[in-house]
């Protein structure tokens, strides 16, 4: 499990060094560098994959997992040297492991510095088997595939467990796994259900839209799947199945998020904006599942703008589902072209040690404005009477 991420001269970071917990939230207003953390990890991953998880020749910036431009796009603008480093600490190794890269101007790319150590004290045994370099990694992009009449079947890809970074293969992933049974001690399961993935997924989907049922229809000739949703809300009449395109964005958009959070233990799960298109109740339910996923052994890093997500995780700590040590909140801000990060501490009551300016404080700012009395001048009063017909 990752315990620390360190970036040097990468995009808006001259130096980033942050602790990572089983459940970590990256928070802050737009454009502060939260997504850059994911991009660094994904760029490292896609660089080692073609080399069969050996030390790569270069840092691949444009690939199947992430596309962040060319060489000059990722260099910190005030860098003193044209070098960058991506380094990760994992609880399975004594030292951090990572790679350094040197800028090659004529090719506008980053070549691996072969003289740099994989770890501080030399190569780590098994470094390329640990997340994010090796192991199971699931990434859910903020820009996901919404409702579609048909989704790709791609059975070969689906069997590999790939839901697609935009969630486009989520139905294909589910189709052969509907009968997968969660272990009895997995906290994400549902005691009064049969423990099968389909039932568990529908339980968490019901937190988004009560009584929802998921239907998958395989269309072999078209190499496609059709996704439908019906609703069987307690005390109401069950509906017929509706096409995904006829039930709004929320269910389709959150489907890959929930699947990711139901991953096997040992998976590194990176999710951007899990709250997208969700009612606050649904956001709180996603936060609850994220907490249980961390307990189950899935490492979860969320990039979010939702105070409902944050509060849901604080509630999990308050209710002793998680300990404060199992959670980290990082708040990203910017000074000039440099991003800075603060990390409020969380106590066992779910309370934070401090609230940096801009850290989920807009509700309080709005409330202060709403509580202020309106000052109505005599002229305002006269205009009001005139408009009422007097």
């Amino acid at each position: 499990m990752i315990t620390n991420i360190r970036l040097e001269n990468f995009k808006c970071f001259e130096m980033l060094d942050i602790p990572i917990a089983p459940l970590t939230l990256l928070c802050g207003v737009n454009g502060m560098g939260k997504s850059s953390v994911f991009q660094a990890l994904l760029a490292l991953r896609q660089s080692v994959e073609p080399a069969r998880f050996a030390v790569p020749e270069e840092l691949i910036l444009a690939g199947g997992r992430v596309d962040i431009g060319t060489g000059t796009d990722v260099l910190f603008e005030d860098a003193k040297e044209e070098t960058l480093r991506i380094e990760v600490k994992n609880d399975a190794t004594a030292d951090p492991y990572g790679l350094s890269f040197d800028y090659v101007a004529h090719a506008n790319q980053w070549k691996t510095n072969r003289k740099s150590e994989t770890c501080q004290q030399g190569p780590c045994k098994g470094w390329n088997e640990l997340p994010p370099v090796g192991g199971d990694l699931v990434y859910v992009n903020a820009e996901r595939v919404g409702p579609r009449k048909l989704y790709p079947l791609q059975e070969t890809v689906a069997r590999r467990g790939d839901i697609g970074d935009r969630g486009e293969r989520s139905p294909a992933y589910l189709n052969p796994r509907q009968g997968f049974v969660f272990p009895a001690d997995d906290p994400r399961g549902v005691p009064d259900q049969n423990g099968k993935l389909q039932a568990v997924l529908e339980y968490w989907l019901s937190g988004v839209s009560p009584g929802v049922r998921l239907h998958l229809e395989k269309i072999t000739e078209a190499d496609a799947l059709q996704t439908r949703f019906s609703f069987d809300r307690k005390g109401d009449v069950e509906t017929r199945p509706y096409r995904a395109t006829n039930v709004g964005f929320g269910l389709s958009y959150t489907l890959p998020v929930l699947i990711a959070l139901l991953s096997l233990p040992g998976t590194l799960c990176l999710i951007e904006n899990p709250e997208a298109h969700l009612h606050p109740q649904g956001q709180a339910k996603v936060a609850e599942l994220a907490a249980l996923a961390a307990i189950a052994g899935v490492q979860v890093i969320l990039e979010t703008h939702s105070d409902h997500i944050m509060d849901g995780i604080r509630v999990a700590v308050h209710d002793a589902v998680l300990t404060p040590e199992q959670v980290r909140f990082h708040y990203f801000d910017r000074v000039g072209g440099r991003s800075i990060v603060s990390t409020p501490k969380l106590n066992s009551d779910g309370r934070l040690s401090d609230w940096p300016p801009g850290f989920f404080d807009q509700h309080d700012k709005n409330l202060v404005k709403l509580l202020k009395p309106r000052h109505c001048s005599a002229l305002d009063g006269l205009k009001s009477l005139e408009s009422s017909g007097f």
Side-chain angles (χ1 to χ4, degrees), residues 6-10 15 40 44 47-48 55-60 75 81-88 96-104 109-120 127 133:
R6 180 184 177 95
L7 305 178
E8 299 176 19
N9 286 335
F10 186 83
M15 174 68 73
L44 185 62
S47 299
V48 301
V55 176
E57 293 296 325
E58 64 177 300
L59 181 65
I60 299 177
L75 179 64
E81 297 179 345
E82 291 183 335
T83 63
L84 62 83
R85 183 170 175 82
I86 303 171
E87 184 178 283
V88 176
Y97 59 94
L99 294 172
S100 295
F101 303 90
D102 298 319
Y103 181 62
V104 181
Q109 62 185 152
W110 292 92
K111 289 292 186 181
T112 304
N113 184 337
R114 289 283 176 170
K115 296 180 180 179
S116 69
E117 304 92 347
T118 302
C119 297
Q120 287 182 341
W127 72 278
V133 177

Side-chain angles (χ1 to χ4, degrees), residues 210-336:
V212 68
R213 296 287 181 268
L214 174 64
H215 307 265
L216 297 175
E217 182 180 346
K218 182 177 176 181
I219 306 174
T220 306
E221 294 79 4
D223 193 29
L225 279 166
Q226 186 175 70
T227 300
R228 293 175 180 265
F229 296 98
S230 63
F231 300 89
D232 186 15
R233 195 169 184 173
K234 189 174 182 179
D236 204 349
V237 178
E238 183 176 1
T239 71
R240 63 179 175 83
Y242 301 109
R243 286 183 177 181
T245 49
N246 291 335
V247 295
F249 268 72
L251 289 171
S252 296
Y253 234 64
T254 198
L255 187 63
V257 172
L258 298 181
I259 292 173
L261 293 174
L262 293 171
S263 296
L264 293 174
T267 302
L268 173 60
C269 183
L270 310 176
I271 304 178
E272 293 181 337
N273 300 135
E275 68 273 12
H277 294 292
L278 287 185
H279 183 276
Q281 173 184 300
Q283 295 178 36
K285 203 67 178 177
V286 168
E288 180 185 347
L289 178 56
L292 295 177
I295 292 297
V298 177
Q299 184 162 33
V300 180
I301 307 179
L302 305 178
E303 185 269 316
T304 182
H305 300 103
S306 169
D307 51 354
H308 301 293
I309 294 286
M310 182 191 71
D311 287 345
I313 292 169
R314 291 172 64 202
V315 168
V317 172
H318 176 276
D319 293 345
V321 175
L322 291 167
T323 67
E325 293 74 27
Q326 292 174 307
V327 179
R328 287 288 183 275
F329 292 162
H330 296 302
Y331 177 69
F332 288 66
D333 203 350
R334 188 189 289 269
V335 177

Side-chain angles (χ1 to χ4, degrees), residues 119-389:
C119 297
Q120 287 182 341
Q121 304 300 326
C124 294
K125 182 180 179 181
W127 72 278
N128 54 352
E129 299 174 1
L130 303 171
V133 177
D136 294 325
L137 183 150
V138 178
Y139 168 57
V140 181
N141 198 303
E143 185 183 3
R144 302 192 277 279
V145 168
R148 298 288 190 271
K149 290 182 179 179
L150 295 174
Y151 293 88
L153 180 56
Q154 298 177 326
E155 291 183 293
T156 302
V157 178
R159 282 194 291 270
R160 294 203 306 263
D162 184 5
I163 65 172
D165 293 348
R166 300 174 65 230
E168 67 275 15
R169 288 191 284 274
S170 294
Y173 171 89
L174 283 174
N175 188 56
R177 294 176 174 83
Q178 295 178 62
F180 171 81
V181 179
F182 280 80
D185 60 350
D186 193 310
R188 298 168 295 176
V190 189
D192 58 347
Q193 298 291 339
N194 55 22
K196 292 184 178 181
L197 177 58
Q198 177 84 7
V200 172
L201 181 60
E202 288 180 346
Y203 169 80
W204 291 105
L205 274 174
S206 291
V208 174
S209 184
V212 68
R213 296 287 181 268
L214 174 64
H215 307 265
L216 297 175
E217 182 180 346
K218 182 177 176 181
I219 306 174
T220 306
E221 294 79 4
D223 193 29
L225 279 166
Q226 186 175 70
T227 300
R228 293 175 180 265
F229 296 98
S230 63
F231 300 89
D232 186 15
R233 195 169 184 173
K234 189 174 182 179
D236 204 349
V237 178
E238 183 176 1
T239 71
R240 63 179 175 83
Y242 301 109
R243 286 183 177 181
T245 49
N246 291 335
V247 295
F249 268 72
L251 289 171
S252 296
Y253 234 64
T254 198
L255 187 63
V257 172
L258 298 181
I259 292 173
L261 293 174
L262 293 171
S263 296
L264 293 174
T267 302
L268 173 60
C269 183
L270 310 176
I271 304 178
E272 293 181 337
N273 300 135
E275 68 273 12
H277 294 292
L278 287 185
H279 183 276
Q281 173 184 300
Q283 295 178 36
K285 203 67 178 177
V286 168
E288 180 185 347
L289 178 56
L292 295 177
I295 292 297
V298 177
Q299 184 162 33
V300 180
I301 307 179
L302 305 178
E303 185 269 316
T304 182
H305 300 103
S306 169
D307 51 354
H308 301 293
I309 294 286
M310 182 191 71
D311 287 345
I313 292 169
R314 291 172 64 202
V315 168
V317 172
H318 176 276
D319 293 345
V321 175
L322 291 167
T323 67
E325 293 74 27
Q326 292 174 307
V327 179
R328 287 288 183 275
F329 292 162
H330 296 302
Y331 177 69
F332 288 66
D333 203 350
R334 188 189 289 269
V335 177
R338 179 184 285 102
S339 284
I340 56 175
V341 179
S342 55
T343 305
K345 292 182 179 179
L346 190 65
N347 68 22
S348 58
D349 293 329
R351 297 181 181 179
L352 292 166
S353 60
D354 60 289
W355 290 78
F359 181 71
F360 295 116
D361 57 3
Q362 192 60 46
H363 175 75
D364 293 337
K365 291 177 180 178
N366 292 341
L367 189 59
V368 168
K369 292 180 181 180
L370 289 168
L371 292 176
K372 283 183 178 180
R374 294 183 68 237
H375 298 290
C376 181
S377 67
L379 182 60
D380 291 333
L382 179 61
K383 290 179 178 178
S384 178
L385 286 172
E386 289 175 348
S387 65
S388 64

Side-chain angles (χ1 to χ4, degrees), residues 55-92:
V55 176
E57 293 296 325
E58 64 177 300
L59 181 65
I60 299 177
L61 301 177
R65 292 189 176 273
V66 67
D67 185 349
I68 47 179
T70 59
T72 53
D73 292 320
V74 298
L75 179 64
F76 176 64
E77 62 178 314
D78 293 326
K80 298 178 178 61
E81 297 179 345
E82 291 183 335
T83 63
L84 62 83
R85 183 170 175 82
I86 303 171
E87 184 178 283
V88 176
K89 178 73 169 65
N90 194 293
D91 60 5

